[in-house]
Amino acid sequence: MARDEAVAAGEEAAAEGGGLLLEIVGSPLNLSLLGLCLFLLYQILRGERPAVPAGEADPPPLPKMKRRDFTLAQLRPYDGVSDPRILMAINGKVFDVTRGRQFYGPGGPYGIFAGRDASRGLATFCLDKEALRDDYDDLSDLDATQQETLMNWESQFTCKQL
């Protein structure tokens, strides 16, 4: 007897599921709403890919630079203006930040650091041009917290370069 009731309940559930499908497909309004929902779900899952206007495509990637030492004067042209490559130094190490042009390039929030030693600015969280020095900076006047901050920035950039 319990078996017959379970079978009957299963048949009712199947009939209700089929009834819901018939109700959705049977009405043009429901069918169009279902289509809209499926389209929106597709757009969400696909992700937003804005169309690139003509002439604004990403430039081809620059060839990888060979490892070398830079003086501050040699680093200066790599600011994204005079050379498309953007380099910046942190604690004596030079990093290629060209891929982050929107941040480190001309007009970017960290564009002040392009082609320069950014150590003092990053250690002190200062984005003023006056805080950066054009000659060698030994950073000996930084306190322990600022030195630790600088080490954290250096390790963050080192990890990104790997």
Side-chain angles (χ1 to χ4, degrees):
M1 180 148 233
R3 183 186 229 193
D4 293 336
E5 289 175 8
V7 170
E11 289 175 358
E12 285 178 20
E16 286 177 13
L20 179 64
L21 181 63
L22 286 175
E23 189 174 326
I24 291 173
V25 177
S27 168
L29 179 61
N30 288 345
L31 198 55
S32 57
L33 287 174
L34 176 65
L36 178 64
C37 288
L38 291 175
F39 173 75
L40 292 174
L41 181 65
Y42 170 75
Q43 290 294 329
I44 291 169
L45 293 178
R46 183 186 71 143
E48 196 167 319
R49 296 183 187 121
V52 177
E56 287 190 26
D58 287 337
L62 297 170
K64 192 168 178 100
M65 284 186 80
K66 291 184 179 180
R67 196 177 272 258
R68 62 171 244 192
D69 293 333
F70 286 89
T71 64
L72 291 174
Q74 291 170 331
L75 188 63
R76 199 75 184 110
Y78 295 100
D79 59 359
V81 176
S82 50
D83 189 294
R85 189 176 306 277
I86 303 171
L87 301 179
M88 64 186 267
I90 301 172
N91 213 16
K93 293 182 182 176
V94 177
F95 297 96
D96 186 344
V97 293
T98 307
R99 290 189 310 182
R101 177 173 294 281
Q102 66 275 15
F103 296 106
Y104 304 103
Y110 301 106
I112 189 80
F113 298 143
R116 305 182 72 135
D117 181 4
S119 301
R120 179 167 296 280
L122 293 173
T124 60
F125 295 107
C126 184
L127 297 176
D128 295 332
K129 195 169 197 161
E130 294 79 33
L132 301 177
R133 300 187 180 160
D134 289 327
D135 52 343
Y136 175 73
D137 186 359
D138 67 359
L139 306 171
S140 60
D141 60 331
L142 296 180
D143 63 31
T145 304
Q146 292 170 333
Q147 289 177 359
E148 183 179 349
T149 301
L150 182 58
M151 292 298 182
N152 289 338
W153 277 110
E154 181 184 351
S155 64
Q156 182 179 349
F157 275 86
T158 301
C159 289
K160 284 184 178 181
Q161 295 290 312
L162 296 179

